[in-house]
Amino acid sequence: MSATTIVSLPDQATAQMPKRSYLNNEHGLLSWLLTADHKRIGMLYLLSITFFFFIGGAFAGLIRLELLTPQPDLVASDTYNKFFTMHGIVMIFLFLVPSVPATLGNFLLPIMIGAKDLAFPKINLLSWYLYMAGGIFTLASLVLGGVDTGWTFTTPLSTHYLNTHVLTTATAIFIAGFSSIFTGLNFIVTIHRMRAPGMTWFRMPLFCWSQYAASLLMVLGTPVLAIAIVLLALERLFGIGVFDPAKGGDPLLFQHLFWFYSHPAVYIMILPGMGVISEVISTFTRKRVFGYTAVAFSSVAIALFGFFVWAHHMFIMGVSNYSALVFSLLTMLVAVPSAIKIFNWAFTMQKGSITFETPMLYAFGFIGLFTIGGLTGIFLGSLGMDVHLTETYFVVAHFHFVMVGGMLMAFLAGIHFWWPKLTGRMYPESLSKLAAVVTFIGFNLTFLPQFVVGYLGMPRRYHAYPAEYQVLNVLSTAGATILGVGYMLPILYLGWSLKYGAIAGNNPWQATGLEWQIQSPPLTENFLETPIITHEAYDYEWLEEKMKLEKQEVTHVG
Amino acid sequence: MPREHAVHDEHDEHHSLPQLRHHFETEEQQREAGSFGMWLFLLTEIMFFGGMFMAYLLYRNWYYPAFAAASNQLNVPLGAINTAILITSGFFMALGVWAAEVRKKSTLVLMLVLTAVFGLAFLGVKSDEYYEKYEKHHIPGNSFNISEFVNPPINAKTGKPTEEPLMPDMAQKTQVFFFLYFAMTGMHAFHMIIGLFLLVWLIWRAQRGDFTSGYVAPIENFGLYWHFVDIVWLFLFPLLYLINRHPFK
Ligand code: HEM
Ligand SMILES: [Cu+2]
């Protein structure tokens, strides 16, 4: 197979908006609120998570503003606590966990495997409503006066010492958790039972594999979070002692239950993003992803290993030395499949015909930043290092590198990549490249200094700090401002493109996925007839053949 | 939305059910997707209950004497009766699935009603047990009374205490047992209540004849759920009531 088939991008001047599509199939607000179409539900999610992203972002801005100076001058300490709690809860549970699966996954997964919809369309809609209910409870707790436990709900702080809206927020997360369970369940059943004829497991795009792995985590992990929250709520409401040492309970049990979900949850957040990166890199290097099988299985391996490392969040919390040691070793294991992916993407790009469209810029951002995030994870996983670094800004920098530098970049890569499919319109190319670069610069300026300041010993979750840390904090706040601009830009130009963007046509990137072989935006029923799949994923030669045939047909008819 | 399968059907003589949703190719695919989804859901339920079983095993290990003493306060005859009731209910549910498959409408309705009646009976006995705990001040919280565990009642004949007395410190830990007892059986009962609501809805649809013309998936899937709830109880009963139960000598 020639690795470097160069396919010139098609002339889009002649492309036309299709008359009928999922967007104009039915009209009116109700047709959206009661829809069972996975594409419309994906769009509902896209709107709602964007809304919550900006709420979470506003709190991030407030936190950085307070940290501009060493003195506690902007807000009182308990207000500050409420800021970072709301920031964490909104960003994790209402933005990152649903980000790629519920939007792009919902929209694309059925199309990619040649199905007309997810297996349970109504449950899919239900999960959006659950998400919204969770969001409303979160907003309620915010309006009623906030909550200041941190997103980790640490006991006994959350059960005994705080007089804020812990129960409202706990309810929010309980409900939002079921939204995530149902999404995962729907995806797994869909991938098992709804694949089109010929779409074998190893012909699926890697995006589907990563959604599958993330869904496994959602289905197996989230119920444990749910029960941990129920127990926490009961303890707070009725003062019963499962987590209360005074009554014979053990706060560490809460930590175990919480992190049994929340460590796998970090992979719920990153795996779908890794799927996006595989698609983008293959398309813009015009090569099959190197080591397809290894990349596919590494997703599943991450999902499995992810369940055996949770106690690395608890090294200093009084777990036994023996178990700390074991968990430290196991943590090293989970880095292996992550590294496999990075290496395989790098090999995919080697000698590929790379083009630098916006999604690809974001994908580069992802690879660089995720690698730094993952490597610092190894630092933290090493028992000795972690005792020094835990609860400092080093941890904050680590998880922002993976979650923001990694996942958010992947999300934006995916949104740009599939925007033509979602809406039928192109985004403005140069402006979006600018946004990608601004985001990258802003991100590094914000979070690189935090590694340093954390290593020097600045603890997280305080609103005042010794004056010697100020320079690094000012840099970080300045970076956050730039980052903010980087995130505002896409909102503006993507909104603009809905009306004024160039018409995209079916396959503006000349990509091989099934979703690119149908019209953009797609019909409500996706395919006019069930496709029969005869080629592997990322088979650019197949695509070339197909295009030749299509051209001939056109000349015949003409 | 146009029902596309109607078009497909012209080609195969097999006549498809009105319940076939448009996004499935065949009835079989729909049925398999449904039951696969149900099994997955039950897996999430196992993880959900798993958190509490974990807590139970942990604390039982730590506070063994308190757990043994508190366990002896549970009403074994009532628990055993309830186990029998629940198994009977599950039996009728299984017969219900069979009735749907052989398309006997009135049998199906009867079996579902019996399933519900025994389910309700279970909850009745359970609430009686809860009331007994209330009277004995065994509900965790401010009114919880440990005196019975520190100074167990004296047996009039032998003049010895009926239970091994616990130190006040350990006696406090009986609260943890009772908390877990209420959390676990309460969560189980909550699942039964949800199940009963679903049953009412299924009975209503069954008497319309929805499930006796070849479309049995909802009955099958509900059956899976109901049996799962039974099985949870089959773990709870020995763990809470029976384990290490021995009369104090
Ligand atoms: C590549 C493998 C990774 C390793 C080895 C790793 C390791 C660690 C370790 C050891 C900690 C605990 C630090 C401490 O509390 O002292 C940690 C914290 C954290 N990690 Fe990772 N990590 C990895 C990937 C990720 C990914 C992919 C994400 C998210 C998408 C993530 C998100 C987080 C978060 C949110 C925390 C902090 C939780 C908190 O305390 O609030 N990590 N990581
Ligand atoms: Cu972790």
Side-chain angles (χ1 to χ4, degrees):
Chain A
M1 179 183 146
S2 74
T4 52
T5 5
I6 299 186
V7 184
S8 54
L9 296 187
D11 181 18
Q12 283 164 15
T14 57
Q16 280 186 337
M17 253 341 215
K19 282 211 188 59
R20 205 162 65 80
S21 74
Y22 81 98
L23 286 171
N24 62 16
N25 183 43
E26 288 174 286
H27 294 278
L29 187 63
L30 267 188
S31 78
W32 281 87
L33 292 181
L34 298 178
T35 183
D37 178 1
H38 64 106
K39 297 179 289 299
R40 285 190 163 207
I41 296 172
M43 294 309 258
L44 288 177
Y45 262 117
L46 184 59
L47 275 180
S48 13
I49 69 165
T50 308
F51 171 74
F52 281 106
F53 175 71
F54 279 92
I55 295 206
F59 282 102
L62 289 169
I63 294 172
R64 283 316 321 165
L65 205 57
E66 168 65 66
L67 294 180
L68 199 55
T69 58
Q71 300 82 27
D73 33 23
L74 182 64
V75 290
S77 61
D78 49 347
T79 315
Y80 181 80
N81 295 350
K82 288 178 185 170
F83 283 178
F84 72 68
T85 303
M86 198 41 75
H87 167 68
I89 288 174
V90 168
M91 284 304 200
I92 292 205
F93 295 111
L94 298 178
F95 177 71
L96 268 186
V97 166
S99 60
V100 168
T103 58
L104 296 171
N106 241 331
F107 194 105
L108 296 163
L109 187 78
I111 307 185
M112 281 183 169
I113 61 170
K116 292 198 191 102
D117 206 321
L118 289 173
F120 310 115
K122 283 183 190 155
I123 291 184
N124 195 20
L125 183 64
L126 173 69
S127 76
W128 180 72
Y129 276 102
L130 288 174
Y131 169 85
M132 288 310 277
I136 286 168
F137 269 95
T138 310
L139 290 182
S141 78
L142 174 64
V143 174
L144 293 174
V147 55
D148 54 356
T149 56
W151 78 278
T152 46
F153 290 99
T154 316
T155 53
L157 185 69
S158 57
T159 48
H160 285 69
Y161 297 106
L162 295 179
N163 216 354
T164 52
H165 295 274
V166 181
L167 284 178
T168 322
T169 324
T171 314
I173 288 169
F174 183 82
I175 299 176
F178 277 90
S179 148
S180 162
I181 291 178
F182 287 139
T183 303
L185 197 143
N186 226 332
F187 282 9
I188 295 181
V189 176
T190 305
I191 292 179
H192 272 271
R193 291 280 178 259
M194 309 288 284
R195 278 170 290 129
M199 177 56 81
T200 60
W201 281 85
F202 292 100
R203 279 181 182 165
M204 284 198 307
L206 289 165
F207 182 81
C208 302
W209 275 94
S210 69
Q211 299 292 332
Y212 184 78
S215 303
L216 282 179
L217 294 171
M218 292 184 202
V219 165
L220 291 174
T222 322
V224 180
L225 176 72
I227 192 68
I229 287 180
V230 169
L231 292 176
L232 181 130
L234 290 176
E235 172 124 16
R236 193 176 160 88
L237 271 176
F238 304 112
I240 355 195
V242 251
F243 303 136
D244 179 7
K247 291 186 178 151
D250 184 0
L252 213 55
L253 179 66
F254 177 78
Q255 294 294 323
H256 279 296
L257 293 178
F258 181 83
W259 287 111
F260 184 82
Y261 164 76
S262 290
H263 180 79
V266 308
Y267 293 106
I268 296 179
M269 295 178 236
I270 198 77
L271 276 167
M274 293 170 154
V276 171
I277 299 301
S278 292
E279 301 302 310
V280 169
I281 288 196
S282 165
T283 300
F284 295 109
T285 52
R286 317 221 60 80
K287 272 175 70 184
R288 182 179 160 85
V289 174
F290 182 88
Y292 170 97
T293 331
V295 179
F297 277 123
S298 67
S299 291
V300 181
I302 287 179
L304 292 182
F305 294 173
F307 273 114
F308 299 98
V309 302
W310 75 89
H312 65 211
H313 296 272
M314 302 162 58
F315 286 155
I316 57 156
M317 290 183 192
V319 293
S320 77
N321 285 348
Y322 181 67
S323 72
L325 206 66
V326 172
F327 274 102
S328 179
L329 286 171
L330 287 174
T331 299
M332 303 302 153
L333 274 187
V334 80
V336 175
S338 312
I340 290 181
K341 283 183 190 283
I342 299 281
F343 285 123
N344 281 294
W345 289 324
F347 279 123
T348 310
M349 285 191 274
Q350 193 194 22
K351 295 199 182 150
S353 16
I354 303 179
T355 49
F356 296 90
E357 271 79 11
T358 311
M360 193 62 167
L361 293 188
Y362 279 112
F364 279 128
F366 173 96
I367 295 185
L369 301 178
F370 177 76
T371 305
I372 299 181
L375 287 176
T376 50
I378 308 264
F379 289 31
L380 293 171
S382 327
L383 192 47
M385 282 293 265
D386 187 64
V387 173
H388 175 60
L389 293 174
T390 187
E391 300 297 330
T392 69
Y393 261 83
F394 194 92
V395 171
V396 177
H398 155 70
F399 65 73
H400 282 87
F401 263 77
V402 274
M403 302 206 298
V404 183
M407 187 55 184
L408 202 59
M409 288 275 178
F411 176 69
L412 287 169
I415 289 293
H416 284 89
F417 184 57
W418 281 293
W419 191 253
K421 188 51 65 182
L422 266 49
T423 65
R425 302 255 180 193
M426 300 302 290
Y427 54 80
E429 187 68 36
S430 44
L431 204 52
S432 62
K433 279 189 173 139
L434 178 73
V437 174
V438 170
T439 316
F440 185 79
I441 296 174
F443 178 84
N444 280 301
L445 193 56
T446 313
F447 292 104
L448 276 177
Q450 293 185 3
F451 279 126
V452 184
V453 83
Y455 190 81
L456 293 176
M458 176 167 161
R460 62 194 277 212
R461 296 185 172 174
Y462 285 87
H463 77 322
Y465 53 86
E468 70 247 38
Y469 298 142
Q470 188 173 15
V471 176
L472 290 163
N473 273 296
V474 170
L475 282 180
S476 187
T477 302
T481 319
I482 301 178
L483 197 54
V485 174
Y487 292 143
M488 280 314 288
L489 280 172
I491 287 287
L492 298 177
Y493 65 70
L494 289 179
W496 172 89
S497 80
L498 283 179
K499 202 154 182 213
Y500 304 103
I503 310 267
N506 293 1
N507 193 355
W509 310 129
Q510 293 301 295
T512 56
L514 272 187
E515 78 273 27
W516 296 110
Q517 317 310 325
I518 59 175
Q519 70 172 47
S520 7
L523 288 168
T524 301
E525 53 272 38
N526 296 345
F527 303 97
L528 286 174
E529 49 195 271
T530 310
I532 295 170
I533 287 82
T534 52
H535 62 282
E536 310 290 307
Y538 318 117
D539 188 343
Y540 289 92
E541 281 171 3
W542 165 84
L543 184 71
E544 227 174 335
E545 287 297 307
K546 176 176 175 272
M547 304 234 308
K548 262 188 218 145
L549 284 177
E550 270 168 16
K551 245 188 210 138
Q552 275 167 6
E553 256 169 48
V554 172
T555 30
H556 269 290
V557 175
Chain B
M1 200 174 303
R3 292 238 156 189
E4 260 186 73
H5 62 272
V7 184
H8 290 301
D9 280 353
E10 285 171 10
H11 303 292
D12 29 316
E13 60 231 79
H14 179 72
H15 195 74
S16 75
L17 290 171
Q19 288 92 346
L20 179 65
R21 308 283 314 272
H22 77 279
H23 61 290
F24 291 108
E25 295 287 321
T26 60
E27 272 162 45
E28 195 188 309
Q29 188 188 29
Q30 171 165 345
R31 192 170 164 165
E32 280 181 351
S35 72
F36 189 59
M38 195 64 207
W39 279 105
L40 261 182
F41 178 71
L42 295 183
L43 192 64
T44 70
E45 289 278 33
I46 291 178
M47 298 305 287
F48 185 79
F49 278 98
M52 283 184 297
F53 279 102
M54 182 67 220
Y56 176 85
L57 294 177
L58 184 78
Y59 290 131
R60 181 180 177 85
N61 202 19
W62 285 357
Y63 310 131
Y64 180 77
F67 269 52
S71 168
N72 278 341
Q73 295 295 322
L74 296 188
N75 194 329
V76 177
L78 284 187
I81 291 174
N82 246 352
T83 309
I85 292 180
L86 210 54
I87 291 176
T88 316
S89 167
F91 174 69
F92 285 124
M93 186 66 230
L95 286 182
V97 175
W98 166 79
E101 267 159 8
V102 298
R103 309 191 181 196
K104 291 194 166 127
K105 190 174 103 177
S106 50
T107 320
L108 171 63
V109 173
L110 178 68
M111 289 307 146
L112 292 182
V113 169
L114 284 172
T115 309
V117 166
F118 278 87
L120 265 178
F122 176 92
L123 288 178
V125 175
K126 197 80 235 157
S127 51
D128 188 48
E129 274 192 83
Y130 280 177
Y131 186 69
E132 187 188 322
K133 300 289 162 300
Y134 169 76
E135 283 188 321
K136 287 165 118 184
H137 292 281
H138 284 168
I139 294 191
N142 293 334
S143 63
F144 190 82
N145 192 342
I146 60 166
S147 61
E148 198 182 342
F149 298 104
V150 182
N151 302 309
I154 305 291
N155 186 324
K157 277 190 205 135
T158 57
K160 281 198 217 148
T162 46
E163 286 283 343
E164 166 122 42
L166 298 175
M167 302 299 282
D169 198 30
M170 185 52 84
Q172 268 301 340
K173 309 295 192 270
T174 52
Q175 260 201 87
V176 178
F177 175 88
F178 280 107
F179 166 62
L180 286 169
Y181 167 80
F182 278 106
M184 294 166 97
T185 57
M187 204 49 87
H188 174 259
F190 178 66
H191 277 77
M192 298 215 33
I193 292 171
I194 292 183
L196 285 174
F197 277 109
L198 290 174
L199 259 176
V200 170
W201 177 65
L202 288 177
I203 291 170
W204 176 72
R205 286 186 62 188
Q207 55 81 25
R208 287 197 325 192
D210 279 9
F211 307 125
T212 32
S213 50
Y215 174 60
V216 295
I219 299 288
E220 276 179 351
N221 289 335
F222 178 78
L224 284 176
Y225 174 82
W226 196 251
H227 294 316
F228 170 81
V229 177
D230 285 4
I231 289 172
V232 171
W233 176 257
L234 290 185
F235 280 94
L236 289 180
F237 180 57
L239 270 185
L240 294 170
Y241 291 70
L242 300 180
I243 227 171
N244 283 87
R245 188 181 174 82
H246 50 79
F248 174 64
K249 292 160 263 4

